[in-house]
Amino acid sequence: MSIAVASASSESSLETLIYSNFQAHQTASCSSDRDEEGQHFLSVRKLSEHQNSLLLSTSQEYGADANVIRRKIANHILCTFGGVENIYSRQEDECVDQIVQTLQNIVRITFANVVTFRQSSLTTFNSFKSSDLYEAAFQILEMVASLVFAKGDGRLARCIIELLESFSKVELECIRGIVCSFMTMALNHLFSYTNSGRQAKSINDSLPFLFGMNNDGEEFAWREEIICDIKAILMERLLDKSQAVRLLAIQAVGRLFGTTTQENSSDDSLGLSNVELHEDIIQALLWNLSHDPSLANRSAAIQSLPITIETLPAIVSRTRDAKLKVRVDALDVLCSKVDVKTLTRNQRIELLQNGLSPRYPATYQAATKMLCCGWMKSVKFDPVKLLDLLEATSREENDESREIYEDVSVKAARAIIAAASDEFQVFPSISSSSDHDKSGNHSSSPEIMKDLGMVTSDIILADLSPPEVREYKEKVLNWKRFNLGSICKEQVDQIDNDDFASKNNLSPSMILFARTLCDVITESTILATDKKSSLLSEIVPDVTVLGDAIEKHVNRLNEVLMNMEQIDDDDEEEETALMKAYEDEEDQEVFICLNLLKMSKVIDMNEEGSRRYFSNIIHRILCDPCTHADVIEGAVLALSESYDNEAAFLLAISEIMSNVIEIDMVDSDDVTTKNTGYRNPDVRKEQYLRGIEILSVALEKTSRKMSSNPILLNFASTILTAITDISLGPLVREAGVSCLGRFVILLDESTIIDTYKPILMEIAYGEEEKIEIRAQATLALCDLALLFQRMMAPITLGNVSDQEVSLTALLVEMMSQAKKSLAVVAAECAAKLHYTGKIHDARIVAMLLVMYFDKSFVESTNVNDGSAKDVGSPTRLLQLLTVFFPAYSISSEIGRETLKASVKPLLSIINRRVNTKVKGRKNMTWPIAKMIEYACETLDNGYEAVKENGTATNQSVPKEESSLLSAVIAICNFIIEEVDDISTSFLRAVCKILSKSYIDVESENMKSLNLLKQRLEETAMNVTDETAINYVEALIELLDEVGSDLDKDEDDVSETELMEEDAKNTGDDSREPPALRSRISNGDSIPTFASLGAKNDNNERRRSSRSSGGSHSGIPLFASIGASEANPSKLQSDPETGSSDASSSSYESSDDSDF
């Protein structure tokens, strides 16, 4: 009995003790402060007013207060039971239950105060955070977390977690957010375990629920168990419907990996933050990182994720995020947490390629900081070593990737140099004369640069200490180290030695950085002219020294090629290793040669003797048949720099051509041709390939003012021989056609039309020709058509057809072919010619629309592929068409008329493709509704742009039917004319578009509405399918509602006008649009449209809406799809979710009218 009394007394006293400490000396047992269940009511608002000393602001002070409460509870228990030896497991369990019940009540009361708080609406966590209750409530919860999770054996913590788990699933967002915040507090204390500061052993043994266990193993066990329970709660909140709750959950789980904002957080001595223990959380965070629609949540996921082999690629990929802040945060995290040496070469290149873009100053600054403060610090501020990590010379599968790596390396070198001194910043000119010096250059005022938004050196290097900044600038601007004059002299002396490779001080990274340094100095808008010359003289070698270095390295490159051919293949492993070494050396020598040749742009060639010496060296290199092919272009460009006029340059090229392409008999040592007396065919092919390559580069450096130069005209025979001589093979012929395109563009118009246009047309039309050859000829014709309108005129080609053919017909024929590469080239040419106004053909525009929405093109695109810059790339074409359609709609009224007339040919093209069966291949799904929507939206945007800028463009807005009405009429004409060739599924899908098209008759032209009604009636008579008829009649009913108005206005429309309108709309839509006509007045509003892709609208609701007498505004066209979703990139499988909107059947008609 005494035990029971003591227990009751203990219960009351222990509960009061806890409440008294939490309530800051308020009376806990006051009857007015009890709820319906008799539990103590904790007035959090009063606590916030009193600011008791127990409620402090930092976790350290919270922990101290919790220790005080913990000791008071222990002393109370010991006094109650008369010492440690009298405490049994039953009494201990009862004490634990009392403490748990009290703490749970405190948590419940805190949540109850949040829910019943009437000062403002606290339905969201953000509203709660801005309220007066926020600080007081979190002080209470922080005290609970410190008391329960910092020390103990897990019994108290487990009970609190069980309570919070129920609160984590309530409907009120504010409560779920508070639970996530509490979990962050709990994790902070769980990870703050330390072996010091324990109570006496006797107390620890008897009260482990307050003071913890005796060994690290037991501590790890209960803490890990509680962490698992917390993770289970947070895992669900990571997918919460509320953005704020997801954000708090992401921030909370970040504490599992050591992410904390607390300055006094201790190290994880138990290893609880080991990533292997939290793989499930990592996978969940990776999902949030890629799929969370909130940019704040994606940024928080970047901060919370640990850096591992698995997570690093995902973080790197966020540097391509659609939101600027996410990209910047990803770069900041990579700068602070990731060493450059842990990244792969491709990851380094990707980061710099995405970050060092001047289009977005914020990402450029973040990437530059990562490069200069993070990566440079890792290599002890040595720019050459950093460029070595980018491996610009590594052998790749294609030349495009190598060009990307070199381009990124140059960007990195420029950023490193610009960060070392503001003198190397490049920015636009300033109009103020006070900002110019006497030489016409800008002063290097930091204020001016800040006004221009430039990133200064001080901003970039702000994270480095002053000694580190000095070291950075000394190593980057070490003119003596990058003096190519002294280095090239050493190279010339050593290059004949056998150990040249081991003593090669002119590494690829060294020459790249030095050459970039010269370019930066030359392009600087701050440095004065004399200062530029002074700095360049410290880096650039003399002309003779540079020429000798180039020749020596080219010879060394030739030796490497000879050694590769002479490798003995007896030992396969040794052969592989030796071949790999020679390939690496080949890449390095090619890189060095090209960069040395580029140095010719900055060297001084005013001295005639040095200039001739240099040009003779380049002449010998180009004439040498052993010269590496990769060096040819750079050598020709360097040769052009050594001549001050184009005539002399062309003369030098002519001399080189005569040496490269021999016209005499072959040398008698050639056994294969000794008896015949003719040159070896293979040698002849190689000579023509080399000669055409040299000539092609030279022609690019020649201007049109040389069109009458006899030396230039003499090149025609060589080019035509390469094209017409069958014995030279298709490779030479392709090079010749490409060279011809560069050659003819320099000639006068008459010569081109009379002589070279038939040649190029025959090649382009030749079906027996290789695709590459036809593509080159088409590109040449397109370039000429942009310059000369007569190129569009039809001509007769005897070997093609007795009828006249034109460039327009050629493009249509090529775009219709199944050979994708040729169709892509023709499509790009067609887009250029349409935008420039050379042609306006509705068939071609329809074919471009089909390509734009062709999923096979979308699936084959890769924006990160270097080939995206090349003509013939599907990626390049889709990027071009993304800009083309809006620009074409804005450019001219005839462009809008052509786009409007393309709807019917578009349907015809898709109908043919749907009906075409390919064995073993499922027909593709076509989103015809989205395609028509995109065309209409593009037209409307064009009309709006013209209306806004009508005065500037002198264009008037048309006054006839809207884009939707025109599209509906075109659909009807398509069904009427081709109903016999349309499959049932396709017919239903097209008719469904009609049923979902809502015409705003109040803003439409009555003549066009009469025509539409006529076409709909004809369509209904021609269609036999019941479902399709129902779709058509749905729109007919809409027009019947306003039939009286149509009949009234019908008398005003003459029969002749209707016949003309009928002929216009039923005629050949593939023809070019008629003469421009004024259609919609400036005062009329743009029509509105109904939703396409949603459920069928209720006709009775439409009738009641009209009969109500209110103004009718209509519903936006295809509202369920949205204009942004019309982009063909949305039609492919989501790369993040793996979902696809493609129908399983190519004829299945979904709500979006895909088939």
Side-chain angles (χ1 to χ4, degrees):
M1 188 68 177
S2 60
I3 296 176
V5 172
S7 176
S9 175
S10 172
E11 177 181 354
S12 175
S13 300
L14 185 58
E15 185 180 20
T16 302
L17 172 66
I18 298 174
Y19 274 116
S20 63
N21 282 277
F22 272 87
Q23 291 193 44
H25 305 293
Q26 293 182 21
T27 304
S29 58
C30 181
S31 60
S32 62
D33 288 336
R34 293 178 179 271
D35 60 11
E36 295 179 357
E37 299 179 0
Q39 297 176 334
H40 292 286
F41 185 81
L42 183 64
S43 179
V44 182
R45 282 172 287 177
K46 292 181 180 179
L47 284 176
S48 64
E49 295 171 1
H50 283 278
Q51 294 294 320
N52 186 270
S53 59
L54 293 177
L55 305 176
L56 303 175
S57 59
T58 66
S59 60
Q60 182 177 4
E61 292 168 330
Y62 283 135
D65 296 330
N67 286 330
V68 173
I69 299 176
R70 194 178 289 111
R71 286 194 296 269
K72 288 182 179 181
I73 294 174
N75 292 332
H76 179 79
I77 294 173
L78 293 176
C79 293
T80 301
F81 292 99
V84 175
E85 63 278 1
N86 297 325
I87 300 177
Y88 301 99
S89 59
R90 178 182 174 184
Q91 283 81 11
E92 182 179 340
D93 292 341
E94 290 177 352
C95 293
V96 170
D97 292 341
Q98 294 172 32
I99 297 172
V100 166
Q101 182 179 2
T102 305
L103 293 177
Q104 286 182 339
N105 285 340
I106 291 175
V107 173
R108 290 191 185 98
I109 293 168
T110 303
F111 284 138
N113 275 266
V114 173
V115 173
T116 59
F117 191 67
R118 298 302 181 186
Q119 178 177 335
S120 61
S121 176
L122 301 183
T123 56
T124 65
F125 183 82
N126 289 332
S127 62
F128 164 67
K129 192 173 182 180
S130 60
S131 68
D132 298 336
L133 188 62
Y134 174 78
E135 182 179 357
F138 268 74
Q139 286 175 343
I140 296 296
L141 295 177
E142 179 65 40
M143 185 70 73
V144 173
S146 178
L147 182 62
V148 172
F149 296 100
K151 297 179 181 180
D153 60 359
R155 281 182 283 180
L156 299 178
R158 191 174 299 108
C159 295
I160 297 298
I161 291 297
E162 290 175 357
L163 174 65
L164 291 173
E165 182 181 6
S166 61
F167 281 111
S168 69
K169 300 178 181 179
V170 300
E171 185 65 24
L172 194 61
E173 173 193 315
C174 178
I175 299 300
R176 300 198 308 275
I178 295 174
V179 171
C180 293
S181 299
F182 185 87
M183 295 304 168
T184 303
M185 305 174 191
L187 290 171
N188 286 334
H189 291 293
L190 287 169
F191 282 92
S192 64
Y193 168 76
T194 176
N195 291 321
S196 60
R198 290 186 176 183
Q199 294 286 329
K201 183 177 180 180
S202 59
I203 298 179
N204 278 343
D205 291 341
S206 302
L207 304 175
F209 63 90
L210 286 177
F211 298 102
M213 316 298 288
N214 287 326
N215 60 74
D216 292 346
E218 293 177 344
E219 287 283 349
F220 177 85
W222 79 264
R223 291 173 187 268
E224 182 189 19
E225 181 181 352
I226 297 301
I227 289 174
C228 290
D229 295 338
I230 293 175
K231 289 194 300 182
I233 296 174
L234 293 176
M235 281 283 287
E236 295 185 16
R237 295 310 105 212
L238 288 174
L239 300 176
D240 195 277
K241 61 183 179 181
S242 168
Q243 177 270 331
V245 175
R246 294 198 307 273
L247 176 61
L248 293 168
I250 292 171
Q251 293 171 342
V253 297
R255 184 61 184 89
L256 295 171
F257 312 106
T259 303
T260 178
T261 58
Q262 297 190 16
E263 297 178 359
N264 65 323
S265 60
S266 59
D267 295 334
D268 179 24
S269 58
L270 296 177
L272 294 169
S273 61
N274 191 334
V275 294
E276 296 179 357
L277 301 175
H278 312 300
E279 286 293 336
D280 51 347
I281 290 293
I282 291 177
Q283 294 301 322
L285 280 177
L286 289 175
W287 188 94
N288 285 94
L289 180 66
S290 301
H291 300 274
D292 199 304
S294 169
L295 67 93
N297 292 1
R298 296 199 300 274
S299 293
I302 293 173
Q303 301 286 344
S304 298
L305 273 170
I307 304 299
T308 65
I309 297 178
E310 181 182 13
T311 61
L312 188 56
I315 296 175
V316 171
S317 68
R318 286 306 95 195
T319 59
R320 300 193 307 271
D321 195 276
K323 297 300 181 180
L324 178 63
K325 184 180 184 303
V326 180
R327 300 198 298 270
V328 172
D329 289 345
L331 291 169
D332 290 341
V333 167
L334 292 168
C335 176
S336 60
K337 296 183 178 181
V338 180
D339 187 277
V340 62
K341 296 176 183 177
T342 63
L343 298 168
T344 64
R345 192 272 298 270
N346 289 337
Q347 287 174 340
R348 298 174 195 135
I349 294 295
E350 181 180 357
L351 287 174
L352 295 178
Q353 186 178 16
N354 297 333
L356 295 179
S357 173
R359 183 177 180 181
Y360 301 102
T363 55
Y364 185 89
Q365 179 175 336
T368 306
K369 281 188 174 182
M370 176 189 68
L371 177 66
C372 300
C373 298
W375 294 7
M376 282 287 284
K377 188 175 181 179
S378 179
V379 295
K380 299 180 179 180
F381 305 108
D382 189 338
V384 177
K385 289 184 178 179
L386 180 61
L387 293 179
D388 286 339
L389 294 176
L390 300 181
E391 304 176 45
T393 62
S394 295
R395 181 175 292 269
E396 297 295 331
E397 296 180 357
N398 53 68
D399 294 335
E400 290 81 6
S401 298
R402 184 182 299 181
E403 292 178 1
I404 291 176
Y405 295 150
E406 182 177 356
D407 180 62
V408 171
S409 299
V410 171
K411 288 182 179 179
R414 285 178 173 271
I416 292 171
I417 296 169
S421 175
D422 292 337
E423 292 181 335
F424 301 121
Q425 296 284 356
V426 179
F427 56 89
S429 61
I430 309 171
S431 58
S432 176
S433 59
S434 61
D435 297 329
H436 292 69
D437 58 22
K438 296 181 179 180
S439 302
N441 298 283
H442 299 301
S443 61
S444 57
S445 171
E447 290 76 12
I448 297 175
M449 299 184 68
K450 290 179 181 179
D451 292 340
L452 290 172
M454 297 299 299
V455 179
T456 61
S457 176
D458 294 339
I459 295 176
I460 296 299
L461 304 181
D463 294 339
L464 299 179
S465 63
E468 289 174 336
V469 173
R470 287 194 299 270
E471 183 181 3
Y472 179 95
K473 294 183 177 181
E474 288 174 359
K475 290 191 175 182
V476 172
L477 303 180
N478 188 347
W479 308 112
K480 184 176 180 181
R481 180 187 181 189
F482 303 117
N483 188 334
L484 293 181
S486 59
I487 296 176
C488 288
K489 288 181 180 179
E490 295 178 3
Q491 293 291 303
V492 172
D493 296 336
Q494 296 177 1
I495 203 160
D496 294 328
N497 300 336
D498 295 335
D499 59 345
F500 166 73
S502 62
K503 296 181 179 180
N504 190 357
N505 296 325
L506 189 61
S507 65
S509 298
M510 174 69 77
I511 183 63
L512 176 65
F513 188 80
R515 196 257 298 175
T516 306
L517 189 57
C518 293
D519 292 341
V520 170
I521 294 173
T522 304
E523 298 168 5
S524 174
T525 55
I526 300 177
L527 291 173
T529 305
D530 54 349
K531 184 66 177 296
K532 290 182 181 180
S533 301
S534 175
L535 293 177
L536 289 174
S537 64
E538 298 185 34
I539 304 174
V540 178
D542 294 335
V543 178
T544 55
V545 175
L546 178 63
D548 289 337
I550 292 173
E551 187 172 27
K552 294 294 184 180
H553 277 280
V554 169
N555 292 336
R556 176 62 186 176
L557 177 59
N558 296 338
E559 292 176 7
V560 172
L561 295 178
M562 293 178 60
N563 293 335
M564 293 173 65
E565 297 176 356
Q566 298 173 0
I567 293 179
D568 189 6
D569 58 355
D570 294 339
D571 189 343
E572 184 175 351
E573 293 183 359
E574 182 179 353
E575 177 190 357
T576 303
L578 194 58
M579 180 62 72
K580 179 64 169 59
Y582 279 135
E583 287 177 351
D584 292 341
E585 187 176 358
E586 176 192 2
D587 293 336
Q588 293 181 9
E589 288 297 332
V590 168
F591 190 87
I592 292 173
C593 290
L594 291 177
N595 279 273
L596 287 174
L597 289 168
K598 291 177 182 179
M599 293 294 295
S600 61
K601 297 180 180 179
V602 296
I603 61 175
D604 185 8
M605 293 194 183
N606 292 328
E607 203 277 316
E608 183 65 19
S610 299
R611 185 195 63 78
R612 290 186 178 182
Y613 183 84
F614 181 83
S615 62
N616 288 336
I617 291 176
I618 303 300
H619 190 282
R620 290 196 297 270
I621 292 174
L622 291 173
C623 292
D624 188 355
C626 298
T627 299
H628 197 285
D630 292 345
V631 181
I632 297 300
E633 181 177 355
V636 175
L637 297 177
L639 183 65
S640 67
E641 297 292 339
S642 64
Y643 290 96
D644 55 0
N645 63 84
E646 295 184 39
F649 172 64
L650 289 178
L651 179 60
I653 293 297
S654 177
E655 294 174 354
I656 294 172
M657 292 289 293
S658 63
N659 284 279
V660 171
I661 302 177
E662 300 176 358
I663 59 175
D664 54 345
M665 301 294 288
V666 72
D667 196 358
S668 60
D669 292 338
D670 193 339
V671 179
T672 59
T673 59
K674 185 181 299 183
N675 296 329
T676 61
Y678 292 101
R679 193 185 304 112
N680 187 328
D682 294 335
V683 173
R684 186 166 179 261
K685 291 179 183 179
E686 292 177 1
Q687 290 180 353
Y688 266 92
L689 276 177
R690 176 62 56 85
I692 293 297
E693 182 180 4
I694 294 172
L695 184 56
S696 297
V697 179
L699 292 174
E700 290 182 351
K701 294 291 295 183
T702 305
S703 63
R704 297 197 70 237
K705 65 182 182 180
M706 303 298 296
S707 59
S708 60
N709 188 289
I711 299 176
L712 177 66
L713 300 177
N714 288 336
F715 292 142
S717 59
T718 302
I719 298 173
L720 293 177
T721 300
I723 296 174
T724 58
D725 194 337
I726 302 177
S727 64
L728 294 174
L731 190 60
V732 177
R733 182 177 174 85
E734 178 185 352
V737 173
S738 177
C739 185
L740 180 63
R742 294 177 172 88
F743 174 73
V744 296
I745 206 169
L746 302 175
L747 305 179
D748 60 272
E749 182 178 4
S750 299
T751 305
I752 295 172
I753 299 299
D754 297 338
T755 306
Y756 295 104
K757 178 183 176 181
I759 297 176
L760 291 171
M761 290 289 287
E762 288 181 0
I763 295 173
Y765 262 105
E767 296 183 356
E768 72 285 353
E769 295 281 2
K770 291 182 61 177
I771 295 177
E772 294 81 3
I773 297 176
R774 297 184 65 187
Q776 291 291 350
T778 304
L779 290 172
L781 289 169
C782 177
D783 292 339
L784 293 172
L786 294 175
L787 293 176
F788 310 111
Q789 185 62 38
R790 289 172 58 192
M791 289 295 299
M792 302 303 304
I795 62 173
T796 302
L797 300 177
N799 59 342
V800 175
S801 173
D802 294 336
Q803 299 179 352
E804 290 185 334
V805 293
S806 65
L807 181 56
T808 302
L810 172 65
L811 295 176
V812 172
E813 187 267 337
M814 286 185 170
M815 294 173 65
S816 303
Q817 291 192 0
K819 301 175 182 178
K820 183 182 296 185
S821 58
L822 189 59
V824 169
V825 172
E828 181 169 337
C829 293
K832 293 177 181 178
L833 293 173
H834 275 78
Y835 180 72
T836 55
K838 301 300 179 181
I839 56 174
H840 297 283
D841 194 297
R843 295 169 302 173
I844 295 180
V845 173
M847 298 171 80
L848 292 176
L849 279 169
V850 171
M851 287 186 172
Y852 190 47
F853 284 87
D854 193 334
K855 293 181 182 179
S856 63
F857 279 90
V858 177
E859 293 168 357
S860 63
T861 59
N862 183 6
V863 296
N864 296 318
D865 187 6
S867 62
K869 298 181 180 179
D870 298 336
V871 177
S873 167
T875 304
R876 174 187 167 102
L877 177 63
L878 291 182
Q879 292 173 346
L880 186 148
L881 292 180
T882 301
V883 180
F884 165 73
F885 289 113
Y888 186 55
S889 177
I890 296 173
S891 62
S892 64
E893 186 172 342
I894 193 172
R896 291 186 291 276
E897 290 289 335
T898 307
L899 185 59
K900 183 185 295 186
S902 66
V903 174
K904 181 173 172 292
L906 173 67
L907 295 172
S908 300
I909 293 171
I910 296 178
N911 181 43
R912 289 195 298 269
R913 294 200 179 190
V914 168
N915 292 332
T916 302
K917 301 288 185 179
V918 180
K919 187 176 181 181
R921 184 188 303 174
K922 184 175 67 174
N923 283 0
M924 190 176 67
T925 302
W926 290 96
I928 183 62
K930 294 180 181 179
M931 298 170 76
I932 296 177
E933 173 213 4
Y934 178 75
C936 292
E937 289 288 341
T938 303
L939 278 169
D940 292 338
N941 292 337
Y943 289 137
E944 288 290 347
V946 172
K947 287 174 65 176
E948 293 176 0
N949 305 296
T951 304
T953 58
N954 294 323
Q955 294 187 36
S956 60
V957 180
K959 295 182 178 180
E960 211 166 287
E961 70 270 9
S962 65
S963 58
L964 175 62
L965 181 57
S966 175
V968 172
I969 294 175
I971 293 174
C972 294
N973 291 334
F974 164 73
I975 297 174
I976 294 170
E977 295 178 14
E978 302 188 27
V979 64
D980 295 335
D981 299 325
I982 305 176
S983 64
T984 302
S985 298
F986 189 84
L987 178 63
R988 290 177 179 178
V990 175
C991 290
K992 188 176 182 180
I993 297 177
L994 294 177
S995 68
K996 299 302 180 70
S997 302
Y998 175 51
I999 308 300
D1000 188 0
V1001 296
E1002 296 179 1
S1003 62
E1004 293 289 357
N1005 183 285
M1006 287 300 170
K1007 183 171 61 175
S1008 299
L1009 288 173
N1010 275 302
L1011 178 62
L1012 173 60
K1013 187 175 180 181
Q1014 176 187 350
R1015 290 289 176 267
L1016 286 172
E1017 292 173 352
E1018 293 182 18
T1019 301
M1021 288 188 295
N1022 283 275
V1023 173
T1024 58
D1025 182 74
E1026 187 71 22
T1027 303
I1029 292 175
N1030 292 335
Y1031 285 142
V1032 176
E1033 289 180 347
L1035 184 57
I1036 294 177
E1037 290 179 7
L1038 293 178
L1039 295 179
D1040 288 340
E1041 295 177 9
V1042 291
S1044 59
D1045 294 335
L1046 295 179
D1047 295 338
K1048 180 180 178 181
D1049 292 341
E1050 191 170 345
D1051 296 335
D1052 299 333
V1053 182
S1054 66
E1055 182 179 356
T1056 304
E1057 290 176 332
L1058 282 176
M1059 294 177 62
E1060 291 176 353
E1061 190 73 17
D1062 187 9
K1064 181 191 71 173
N1065 287 279
T1066 59
D1068 186 3
D1069 284 322
S1070 65
R1071 300 297 180 186
E1072 294 185 359
L1076 303 182
R1077 296 177 300 274
S1078 177
R1079 298 217 169 179
I1080 301 177
S1081 64
N1082 292 331
D1084 292 341
S1085 60
I1086 296 297
T1088 55
F1089 315 104
S1091 171
L1092 177 62
K1095 299 295 183 181
N1096 285 327
D1097 293 332
N1098 190 303
N1099 289 337
E1100 292 297 326
R1101 176 163 52 84
R1102 290 177 177 172
R1103 293 191 184 97
S1104 63
S1105 174
R1106 288 191 176 277
S1107 62
S1108 62
S1111 61
H1112 190 77
S1113 59
I1115 306 174
L1117 170 66
F1118 314 144
S1120 65
I1121 302 174
S1124 62
E1125 295 181 11
N1127 191 299
S1129 62
K1130 299 291 185 181
L1131 306 180
Q1132 62 178 337
S1133 297
D1134 191 328
E1136 297 177 340
T1137 63
S1139 62
S1140 175
D1141 63 354
S1143 174
S1144 58
S1145 173
S1146 54
Y1147 296 102
E1148 182 180 355
S1149 177
S1150 66
D1151 286 338
D1152 288 340
S1153 298
D1154 292 356
F1155 39 106

